[in-house]
Amino acid sequence: MSKQRDIIQAYNEELFSLYRAHDLQCLTDNNYTYQGENVIAINTDAVVMAAKSGLYDRQIEVYDHLHLDREVKNPNQMQMELFSATADLKYRLGTLYLYTPYITVFEHSYSYIDGKKFYHYDQKLEDARFNRELPVAFESLYKFWQRIADYITSFFPELLIEKRGQIYFHSPLQYIHAHFPQLEASAHYQWLWNFQENIYPQFNKHRKFFVHHAGYDSNYVMKFLNAHREDDQAMVALDRERTYWLPYLKEQLELCNQGYLEMMKFLNQIEIAKTEDGSFTYQLLQNALN
């Protein structure tokens, strides 16, 4: 048991070192502080407004009507899920950095037979682990943006009725665009909309391929089998592909952290009021327009 604990400690120390070396930060770091913001308390204004307006009561009615689990779908739980998703992504990214020095580089993985150059892919354990960890990182990303959608939707429970509980990342942003265009004046909403339009689709394209079509490991092996019949440039392209993923995922982690702040600041700007017919109105607070 002591030997196992020593291995675990050494492994974690190496991960922590890689976190520092590559400046990886998630929402749980620095005592839940990001860009000087306390990420736990940042939603206080939105929570108070929702409670005062009676929106939470309507939320519970909708959850009951759709047979949704309130213990899972309540905003406090979803906030914890968002923290956890960024911690998961940071861990996966640190693990990828750990394996990177040992993955096969085709530029150095070839031999000559009868004067002809042949590339070979002798997949090492670290190489295989890298390939298998990569799609898991994309699942952590997907989970984060799904929870962002769930959290925003909790402030617009009628959307749950409209979608019968089936919410995707774009759902609440497009719902606001269609039904409450006055809220689009918020710079924080605009950040989220721009992300949805220009960044999320590319990430989700990668994720869908890994999940619904081919795992990264098997697909990479097939790419090698096809490329090694071609020329050196095809092999160079394979090397470049794997060096692309680490900076890409690091940027995605930073976008998750920023996206969390943008979402919370947007919700904090909304004034919610209940009308006589039981529906709710949404307006931006005056200071959000200044």
Side-chain angles (χ1 to χ4, degrees), residues 208-258:
K208 284 181 177 178
F209 183 84
F210 297 149
V211 173
H212 298 296
H213 298 284
Y216 187 75
D217 186 57
S218 62
N219 187 55
Y220 194 79
V221 172
M222 287 302 301
K223 285 182 178 179
F224 164 73
L225 294 174
N226 291 328
H228 89 290
R229 302 190 190 102
E230 300 177 23
D231 55 21
D232 289 347
Q233 289 304 310
M235 303 308 297
V236 169
L238 273 183
D239 283 338
R240 287 178 178 169
E241 177 182 315
R242 286 207 287 188
T243 59
Y244 166 81
W245 293 119
L246 290 176
Y248 176 82
L249 287 170
K250 180 182 177 182
E251 180 184 30
Q252 292 301 311
L253 174 59
E254 293 165 354
L255 286 169
C256 287
N257 295 335
Q258 187 64 38

Side-chain angles (χ1 to χ4, degrees), residues 3-64:
K3 182 179 179 181
Q4 289 179 334
R5 291 185 66 88
D6 290 343
I7 292 171
I8 291 171
Q9 182 175 352
Y11 171 70
N12 285 326
E13 287 176 355
E14 186 63 27
L15 270 184
F16 298 155
S17 175
L18 289 166
Y19 293 160
R20 292 189 294 271
H22 298 284
D23 193 25
L24 304 181
Q25 184 178 349
C26 66
L27 292 174
T28 62
D29 288 337
N30 303 318
N31 196 25
Y32 292 88
T33 301
Y34 184 74
Q35 292 185 359
E37 300 275 4
N38 181 319
V39 299
I40 295 179
I42 192 174
N43 66 342
T44 300
D45 291 346
V47 169
V48 169
M49 180 62 70
K52 284 183 176 179
S53 67
L55 184 66
Y56 282 157
D57 294 334
R58 176 56 181 162
Q59 182 189 93
I60 291 171
E61 290 176 2
V62 170
Y63 287 174
D64 287 343

Side-chain angles (χ1 to χ4, degrees), residues 25-27 34-35 82 86 89 93 141 144-145 148 169 191-192 194-196 198-200 202-203 247-263:
Q25 184 178 349
C26 66
L27 292 174
Y34 184 74
Q35 292 185 359
L82 287 163
T86 62
L89 180 55
L93 188 50
L141 263 175
F144 176 84
W145 293 110
I148 284 283
F169 172 61
W191 189 99
L192 293 165
N194 180 67
F195 178 85
Q196 172 213 237
N198 300 306
I199 300 174
Y200 183 86
Q202 187 61 40
F203 138 71
Y248 176 82
L249 287 170
K250 180 182 177 182
E251 180 184 30
Q252 292 301 311
L253 174 59
E254 293 165 354
L255 286 169
C256 287
N257 295 335
Q258 187 64 38
Y260 174 85
L261 294 187
E262 299 292 344
M263 176 195 70

Side-chain angles (χ1 to χ4, degrees), residues 136-150:
V136 180
F138 277 86
E139 282 303 294
S140 298
L141 263 175
Y142 183 72
K143 176 183 177 181
F144 176 84
W145 293 110
Q146 280 295 106
R147 294 299 177 270
I148 284 283
D150 289 337

Side-chain angles (χ1 to χ4, degrees), residues 152 156 159 162 170-185 189-190 193-194 196-197 266:
I152 297 175
F156 298 88
L159 171 59
E162 182 179 299
H170 62 272
S171 301
L173 298 175
Q174 293 184 354
Y175 181 78
I176 291 167
H177 177 71
H179 298 280
F180 304 103
Q182 66 273 20
L183 302 182
E184 294 181 296
Y189 172 88
Q190 291 169 19
W193 181 267
N194 180 67
Q196 172 213 237
E197 290 289 293
F266 167 59

Side-chain angles (χ1 to χ4, degrees), residues 85-110:
T86 62
D88 287 347
L89 180 55
K90 176 184 173 181
Y91 171 73
R92 300 299 172 188
L93 188 50
T95 303
L96 289 169
Y97 275 112
L98 180 67
Y99 292 137
T100 294
Y102 307 101
I103 63 177
T104 299
V105 178
F106 292 117
E107 183 182 358
H108 310 299
S109 183
Y110 62 86

